[in-house]
Amino acid sequence: MTPAIKALEKAGVAFETASYEHDPRRPAYGEEAAEALGLPAETVFKTLLARLDDGRLAMAIVPVPGQLDLKALARAAGARKAQMAEPAEAERATGYVVGGISPLGQKKRLPAFIDASAEALERFHVSGGRRGLELALAPADLARLLSASFAPLARS
């Protein structure tokens, strides 16, 4: 049981778990999850952390096939610039290891932004808090739990 699952259970949100055997030789965790679980890649979202120019960390939840547009994230967060957080910084802030960072159950509450493409999905998949564990839930439920905004964040 991960902090992400505990957070969903405490909130009474409907969700499902799916797990697979993580291959440590695979560096693209989200792509691995989609392939291993037989899911369309555009329904699997990765959780990324960026440092804004005002010093805050922000969380971006974007589809696996997309790349985070840092300028779009900065705009959504009311900042001028953003840059990717260092992996060690992301791990310290969330309490999770890279490749298993869930948007839920993090150590610190961060401003959260979900790519607008999620709004068209009935359910999507995010990390469950460890490599090899995915959670399926409604994007609106995740947005509500995180007080997150939807914004166009990903580019192909």
Side-chain angles (χ1 to χ4, degrees), residues 123-136:
R123 292 183 350 145
F124 70 160
H125 296 80
V126 296
S127 175
R130 66 173 166 77
R131 295 172 184 159
L133 177 64
E134 293 290 307
L135 302 172

PDB file of all heavy atoms in Angstrom, residues 123-136:
ATOM      1  N   ARG A 123     -11.169   7.919 -18.032  1.00  0.00           N
ATOM      2  CA  ARG A 123     -10.181   7.495 -17.026  1.00  0.00           C
ATOM      3  C   ARG A 123      -8.798   7.602 -17.632  1.00  0.00           C
ATOM      4  O   ARG A 123      -8.635   7.484 -18.842  1.00  0.00           O
ATOM      5  CB  ARG A 123     -10.414   6.038 -16.615  1.00  0.00           C
ATOM      6  CG  ARG A 123     -11.678   5.853 -15.845  1.00  0.00           C
ATOM      7  CD  ARG A 123     -11.924   4.445 -15.361  1.00  0.00           C
ATOM      8  NE  ARG A 123     -11.037   3.437 -15.879  1.00  0.00           N
ATOM      9  CZ  ARG A 123     -10.618   2.391 -15.180  1.00  0.00           C
ATOM     10  NH1 ARG A 123     -10.997   2.233 -13.944  1.00  0.00           N
ATOM     11  NH2 ARG A 123      -9.852   1.486 -15.722  1.00  0.00           N
ATOM     12  N   PHE A 124      -7.838   7.825 -16.774  1.00  0.00           N
ATOM     13  CA  PHE A 124      -6.453   7.785 -17.230  1.00  0.00           C
ATOM     14  C   PHE A 124      -5.611   7.117 -16.158  1.00  0.00           C
ATOM     15  O   PHE A 124      -6.114   6.760 -15.085  1.00  0.00           O
ATOM     16  CB  PHE A 124      -5.946   9.151 -17.652  1.00  0.00           C
ATOM     17  CG  PHE A 124      -5.720  10.171 -16.557  1.00  0.00           C
ATOM     18  CD1 PHE A 124      -4.890  11.252 -16.806  1.00  0.00           C
ATOM     19  CD2 PHE A 124      -6.308  10.099 -15.300  1.00  0.00           C
ATOM     20  CE1 PHE A 124      -4.662  12.219 -15.838  1.00  0.00           C
ATOM     21  CE2 PHE A 124      -6.093  11.051 -14.330  1.00  0.00           C
ATOM     22  CZ  PHE A 124      -5.261  12.122 -14.602  1.00  0.00           C
ATOM     23  N   HIS A 125      -4.336   6.902 -16.468  1.00  0.00           N
ATOM     24  CA  HIS A 125      -3.446   6.173 -15.570  1.00  0.00           C
ATOM     25  C   HIS A 125      -2.305   7.077 -15.123  1.00  0.00           C
ATOM     26  O   HIS A 125      -1.702   7.766 -15.942  1.00  0.00           O
ATOM     27  CB  HIS A 125      -2.885   4.937 -16.278  1.00  0.00           C
ATOM     28  CG  HIS A 125      -3.937   3.952 -16.645  1.00  0.00           C
ATOM     29  ND1 HIS A 125      -4.727   4.088 -17.755  1.00  0.00           N
ATOM     30  CD2 HIS A 125      -4.352   2.826 -16.018  1.00  0.00           C
ATOM     31  CE1 HIS A 125      -5.577   3.086 -17.803  1.00  0.00           C
ATOM     32  NE2 HIS A 125      -5.376   2.305 -16.767  1.00  0.00           N
ATOM     33  N   VAL A 126      -2.023   7.031 -13.826  1.00  0.00           N
ATOM     34  CA  VAL A 126      -0.884   7.750 -13.257  1.00  0.00           C
ATOM     35  C   VAL A 126      -0.129   6.772 -12.355  1.00  0.00           C
ATOM     36  O   VAL A 126      -0.660   5.729 -11.968  1.00  0.00           O
ATOM     37  CB  VAL A 126      -1.315   9.004 -12.449  1.00  0.00           C
ATOM     38  CG1 VAL A 126      -1.994  10.028 -13.354  1.00  0.00           C
ATOM     39  CG2 VAL A 126      -2.207   8.629 -11.285  1.00  0.00           C
ATOM     40  N   SER A 127       1.079   7.123 -12.012  1.00  0.00           N
ATOM     41  CA  SER A 127       1.874   6.253 -11.149  1.00  0.00           C
ATOM     42  C   SER A 127       1.193   6.055  -9.796  1.00  0.00           C
ATOM     43  O   SER A 127       0.649   6.991  -9.215  1.00  0.00           O
ATOM     44  CB  SER A 127       3.271   6.838 -10.943  1.00  0.00           C
ATOM     45  OG  SER A 127       3.984   6.033 -10.014  1.00  0.00           O
ATOM     46  N   GLY A 128       1.313   4.836  -9.305  1.00  0.00           N
ATOM     47  CA  GLY A 128       0.754   4.507  -8.002  1.00  0.00           C
ATOM     48  C   GLY A 128       1.718   4.714  -6.851  1.00  0.00           C
ATOM     49  O   GLY A 128       1.391   4.430  -5.712  1.00  0.00           O
ATOM     50  N   GLY A 129       2.915   5.199  -7.148  1.00  0.00           N
ATOM     51  CA  GLY A 129       3.862   5.494  -6.082  1.00  0.00           C
ATOM     52  C   GLY A 129       5.053   4.565  -6.019  1.00  0.00           C
ATOM     53  O   GLY A 129       5.871   4.652  -5.111  1.00  0.00           O
ATOM     54  N   ARG A 130       5.153   3.690  -6.984  1.00  0.00           N
ATOM     55  CA  ARG A 130       6.362   2.876  -7.130  1.00  0.00           C
ATOM     56  C   ARG A 130       6.441   2.411  -8.582  1.00  0.00           C
ATOM     57  O   ARG A 130       5.431   2.358  -9.288  1.00  0.00           O
ATOM     58  CB  ARG A 130       6.396   1.707  -6.158  1.00  0.00           C
ATOM     59  CG  ARG A 130       5.362   0.653  -6.370  1.00  0.00           C
ATOM     60  CD  ARG A 130       5.584  -0.545  -5.450  1.00  0.00           C
ATOM     61  NE  ARG A 130       4.435  -1.420  -5.414  1.00  0.00           N
ATOM     62  CZ  ARG A 130       4.106  -2.292  -6.374  1.00  0.00           C
ATOM     63  NH1 ARG A 130       4.844  -2.403  -7.461  1.00  0.00           N
ATOM     64  NH2 ARG A 130       3.026  -3.039  -6.253  1.00  0.00           N
ATOM     65  N   ARG A 131       7.653   2.115  -9.002  1.00  0.00           N
ATOM     66  CA  ARG A 131       7.834   1.615 -10.365  1.00  0.00           C
ATOM     67  C   ARG A 131       7.084   0.293 -10.498  1.00  0.00           C
ATOM     68  O   ARG A 131       7.200  -0.581  -9.654  1.00  0.00           O
ATOM     69  CB  ARG A 131       9.317   1.419 -10.652  1.00  0.00           C
ATOM     70  CG  ARG A 131      10.085   2.717 -10.632  1.00  0.00           C
ATOM     71  CD  ARG A 131      11.570   2.481 -10.713  1.00  0.00           C
ATOM     72  NE  ARG A 131      12.294   3.747 -10.598  1.00  0.00           N
ATOM     73  CZ  ARG A 131      13.559   3.833 -10.231  1.00  0.00           C
ATOM     74  NH1 ARG A 131      14.255   2.753  -9.952  1.00  0.00           N
ATOM     75  NH2 ARG A 131      14.137   5.011 -10.151  1.00  0.00           N
ATOM     76  N   GLY A 132       6.296   0.191 -11.559  1.00  0.00           N
ATOM     77  CA  GLY A 132       5.529  -1.024 -11.798  1.00  0.00           C
ATOM     78  C   GLY A 132       4.113  -1.003 -11.244  1.00  0.00           C
ATOM     79  O   GLY A 132       3.427  -2.007 -11.283  1.00  0.00           O
ATOM     80  N   LEU A 133       3.660   0.148 -10.751  1.00  0.00           N
ATOM     81  CA  LEU A 133       2.298   0.254 -10.219  1.00  0.00           C
ATOM     82  C   LEU A 133       1.614   1.480 -10.811  1.00  0.00           C
ATOM     83  O   LEU A 133       2.121   2.600 -10.702  1.00  0.00           O
ATOM     84  CB  LEU A 133       2.329   0.374  -8.689  1.00  0.00           C
ATOM     85  CG  LEU A 133       0.973   0.558  -7.994  1.00  0.00           C
ATOM     86  CD1 LEU A 133       0.084  -0.674  -8.193  1.00  0.00           C
ATOM     87  CD2 LEU A 133       1.173   0.829  -6.511  1.00  0.00           C
ATOM     88  N   GLU A 134       0.478   1.258 -11.441  1.00  0.00           N
ATOM     89  CA  GLU A 134      -0.302   2.337 -12.044  1.00  0.00           C
ATOM     90  C   GLU A 134      -1.688   2.389 -11.412  1.00  0.00           C
ATOM     91  O   GLU A 134      -2.232   1.370 -10.990  1.00  0.00           O
ATOM     92  CB  GLU A 134      -0.458   2.117 -13.552  1.00  0.00           C
ATOM     93  CG  GLU A 134       0.829   2.240 -14.341  1.00  0.00           C
ATOM     94  CD  GLU A 134       1.357   3.660 -14.403  1.00  0.00           C
ATOM     95  OE1 GLU A 134       0.601   4.563 -14.789  1.00  0.00           O
ATOM     96  OE2 GLU A 134       2.538   3.854 -14.062  1.00  0.00           O
ATOM     97  N   LEU A 135      -2.243   3.588 -11.349  1.00  0.00           N
ATOM     98  CA  LEU A 135      -3.594   3.808 -10.849  1.00  0.00           C
ATOM     99  C   LEU A 135      -4.455   4.334 -11.984  1.00  0.00           C
ATOM    100  O   LEU A 135      -4.041   5.236 -12.712  1.00  0.00           O
ATOM    101  CB  LEU A 135      -3.582   4.848  -9.723  1.00  0.00           C
ATOM    102  CG  LEU A 135      -2.712   4.534  -8.511  1.00  0.00           C
ATOM    103  CD1 LEU A 135      -2.665   5.746  -7.588  1.00  0.00           C
ATOM    104  CD2 LEU A 135      -3.232   3.319  -7.785  1.00  0.00           C
ATOM    105  N   ALA A 136      -5.650   3.794 -12.126  1.00  0.00           N
ATOM    106  CA  ALA A 136      -6.620   4.277 -13.112  1.00  0.00           C
ATOM    107  C   ALA A 136      -7.717   5.013 -12.363  1.00  0.00           C
ATOM    108  O   ALA A 136      -8.286   4.478 -11.404  1.00  0.00           O
ATOM    109  CB  ALA A 136      -7.204   3.112 -13.899  1.00  0.00           C
TER     110      ALA A 136
END
